Amino acid sequence: MAPDKILPIPLMEQSNPVYDLLIDSCMIIEGQLQPNVLRDALTELVNRWPILGSRVARNKKNRFELHLPDDFSDARPPFVFSEAHSDIPYPSMPSRKAHINPEMSTILDDFRIPSTPRIVPDLLKQKDAPMLHVHVHCFADVTCVGFHIPHLFCDVPGLAVILRAWCSLIASPGDMQSVVLPSLLEGDPIKDFGEPYPKTKAELKLFRKNMLSSFTVWGMIDTIKYYARWLSDIMTNKEECRLLFIPKSVITRLRDETMGEKEQWVSENDVVTALLTKLHLFNREPTKQPLTLAFTANLRGQIPALSGPDVFIRNALIPLCAPSVPIREIQSMSISEIALDIRRTIVAQRTPDQLSKTVTVFREMCRRRIFPCYHPATETNFYVTSWAVAKWGELDFSGALAEGAKEQNSKAGRVLFAGGASSNPSFIGRSRWSIVLSKVAGDDEDEAGYWCELGARLSAWPELEKYVAAWSA
């Protein structure tokens, strides 16, 4: 038997805590899908893109790498595929009309089996386990599809490429060979982007002077200073995380107000991020402490190495940091003002020169294996990561429906809910970061909108609930 092919995982893809996390993509599809069609299409996808059948392993330097089998077999399958069937309607459908629902973890088991790893250390314990795990649970009215993959292999935009390719094969179950898939951009195309990290205080001072983002690297003293205060706050204020549905009509109204008042373009995602920030501020006392709003940016299409025709499914997200504002001042800002600050930050920090500096800091952060630092240690932050760019709500699974199902229900095969998780179940501090999970389409019964996950102090939820209830007024 030929030895496995060893595929290095670039340093920038081994950030802390990403190297420990799995991305759990959880979709609820209208109608009953046929698991065998999903499995066959996934098998074809891995045959085209064998890297998806890799195993995750640690090397002698305690860094991660991929081990790709020379050939797949029953003894060494390319993925783990499981299915379940329940002859009842799905009992835990998140409600768009309610706006606020129990957190994602309460329904996560509907998209996995007990042996599905929750974090990478669980995967490593399984010994030679494929990194890709897929679970399909067919209910009487819908199908839950869980797609689980290590975050150190791909980010959410990369996972979106994989899911779109899978759905394109599902759409042609009798003629998958005719489906043309894009070519993968392999290796480490970002390795030459960025600068050497400054070695002296003078070099670092000049580097920071020319960098707009406050994204930085802390030493031990700053780390202790920040996390001692952070831990004290988290431990003395019980938190609760919930699923939040934001109707598109709310976002459209706020976006129109923003662009109408200031005559400056903002995206829907800018407005969603601003709204989540406003909700987060219910947790904060009106103090002078500066708060930095940080959010993700995608290098794809922004730098030459990731602008070609081949698709990049690995990790290419970095943080941008809006200028810090004292908490009591940002609390007095309107959602429009916050959205405009977000857009100005994107325009200023998404230039090749500024992205290069952010990547330089990010790579140093990965080398030291430390958590991201978005500001000076005496300040605080709120972080928003958006998965809406993945467009999971637009995926079409109708090719896996039973014959005649589409004629009986024209909506069958569409995505009703798209969410997921990408964190260690033991993590605390959920009031400090939020996820825009997906944008989903509407119909005669339910409005289109955004699914998000928001954490807050338990004491803040009554006021948050009143604020959200006003959306329906």
Side-chain angles (χ1 to χ4, degrees), residues 130-147:
M131 67 177 180
L132 175 57
H133 291 239
V134 177
H135 181 62
V136 178
H137 193 154
C138 300
F139 288 86
D141 53 347
V142 302
T143 303
C144 293
V145 177
F147 201 98

Side-chain angles (χ1 to χ4, degrees), residues 86 102 106 138 142 269 318 418 426 446 464 472:
S86 299
T106 61
C138 300
V142 302
N269 200 70
I318 58 171
S426 65
D446 290 308
L464 281 168
S472 301

Side-chain angles (χ1 to χ4, degrees), residues 2 14 25 48 85 91 111 115 120 131 138 155 217 284 367 401:
Q14 301 192 49
S25 170
R48 305 271 197 102
H85 298 265
F111 303 86
S115 61
V120 170
M131 67 177 180
C138 300
D155 54 23
V217 174
R284 300 284 191 163
R367 188 187 69 81
L401 293 166

Side-chain angles (χ1 to χ4, degrees), residues 349-365:
Q349 296 183 18
R350 209 168 56 176
T351 65
D353 176 64
Q354 290 300 316
L355 289 175
S356 172
K357 287 179 168 49
T358 301
V359 166
T360 298
V361 176
F362 194 94
R363 189 173 284 120
E364 179 65 13
M365 179 196 79

